[in-house]
Amino acid sequence: MHEAQEDERRRIARELHDRIGHGTSVAHQQLALSEAYRATDPARASAKIVVVQQAIQETMDNLRQMTSQLHPQTPVKNLEKSLLDFLEAVGDDSVSIAFDVNGDESWVGPHVLDEAFLILREAVRNALTHGDPTLILLKVDIAPHELVARARDNGRGFDPANARERGGVGLTSMRERAELLGGTVTVSSEPGGGCLVELYIPLRGQAGGPDDA
C-alpha cells in the first residue's frame, strides 16, 4: 500500500509539473515578452497577450480535469503538430529552433505520443527557461519498433549530478514518464557546453517493446 501511495504521489507531481506548471510558466514568460515589446512593437506585445490567455485557459482546463478525475486528459493526436504549436507559442526572436520529424506517427499509440510530447516539451522548456540558448535543435525519428528523439541546445549547460542532488522535478518527470513506457531519457551536459536530451521509447507490439513479456 505504501508503494502504491508513493507511485500515486509521483504521478500527481508529474501531472502538476508538466500540465499545470507548464501553462503558468508559458504565461509568465509571454507576459515578460509583452512588457518588453510594449513600447517598441505594440502589435507583437498584443500577440503575446493572446498566448498568455490561451496558456491560462489550457491550465484551467487541465486543472479542472485533474481535480474532477471525471474526464481524462485528451491525448496528443499528432506529435509533430503539437510540438509545432508549442514552439510557435513560446517563440522568441533571440532563439533559433530547428525541428524535424521523420517516420510514420501511426506506428505510435496515442498514449505514447502524449508522453513523448510532454517529455520533449519539458526538454525544450528547460532549455529556454534555464539555458539561455541561441539555438535549439529538436529531432524525432519514428520507426516501427522505436521512437528516438533528441533535443540539443547551445545554452549555458549544467552539471547533471548537481541537478539530481537538488531534486529537480522536471528531469525526474521526464525520466519517470519514459521508464513507464519501457524507455529511457538520457541527459548530457556540462557548464558552458549546452545540453543534449535523448529519448528512447520501444514501441508496443515490437520485439523488445514494453508489451513483450
Side-chain angles (χ1 to χ4, degrees):
M1 182 177 295
H2 177 71
E3 183 177 348
Q5 290 173 339
E6 288 298 313
D7 287 344
E8 182 64 6
R9 290 191 184 98
R10 285 192 288 269
R11 184 190 71 81
I12 293 172
R14 288 194 301 271
E15 296 301 304
L16 287 172
H17 180 274
D18 295 344
R19 299 192 190 276
I20 308 304
H22 165 74
T24 55
S25 176
V26 169
H28 181 270
Q29 179 193 47
Q30 297 302 306
L31 278 174
L33 289 173
S34 175
E35 182 65 23
Y37 291 138
R38 186 172 61 177
T40 59
D41 194 339
R44 179 169 292 180
S46 297
K48 296 300 180 183
I49 293 297
V50 172
V51 176
V52 171
Q53 293 170 335
Q54 293 171 343
I56 292 174
Q57 183 61 56
E58 178 185 344
T59 301
M60 291 170 61
D61 292 342
N62 286 338
L63 182 60
R64 188 178 302 112
Q65 291 170 356
M66 288 183 63
T67 54
S68 69
Q69 294 296 306
L70 295 176
H71 304 287
Q73 176 71 23
T74 302
V76 167
K77 295 181 179 180
N78 185 290
L79 179 61
E80 184 172 10
K81 182 179 185 304
S82 296
L83 285 170
L84 283 171
D85 289 345
F86 162 65
L87 294 174
E88 182 179 353
V90 299
D92 185 343
D93 291 344
S94 65
V95 183
S96 297
I97 301 178
F99 175 50
D100 185 35
V101 174
N102 298 302
D104 189 342
E105 290 194 22
S106 67
W107 293 327
V108 189
H111 178 63
V112 176
L113 286 176
D114 191 45
E115 296 296 305
F117 168 70
L118 292 173
I119 292 168
L120 296 173
R121 186 179 73 174
E122 179 64 17
V124 174
R125 191 176 71 86
N126 279 344
L128 292 171
T129 303
H130 305 294
D132 193 26
T134 59
L135 176 65
I136 297 176
L137 304 177
L138 181 60
K139 184 175 183 182
V140 181
D141 292 306
I142 302 172
H145 63 289
E146 66 181 9
L147 182 152
V148 178
R150 297 173 181 84
R152 183 190 299 272
D153 71 76
N154 66 346
R156 63 170 61 97
F158 62 95
D159 184 344
N162 288 341
R164 284 193 295 269
E165 291 174 2
R166 292 196 300 269
V169 176
L171 294 178
T172 299
S173 174
M174 288 193 293
R175 290 192 176 99
E176 288 181 351
R177 289 187 184 278
E179 289 169 2
L180 288 171
L181 298 171
T184 58
V185 165
T186 304
V187 179
S188 306
S189 183
E190 62 182 20
C195 180
L196 170 64
V197 176
E198 298 176 283
L199 168 65
Y200 164 75
I201 300 175
L203 298 182
R204 296 181 180 277
Q206 303 297 328
D211 282 354
D212 293 343

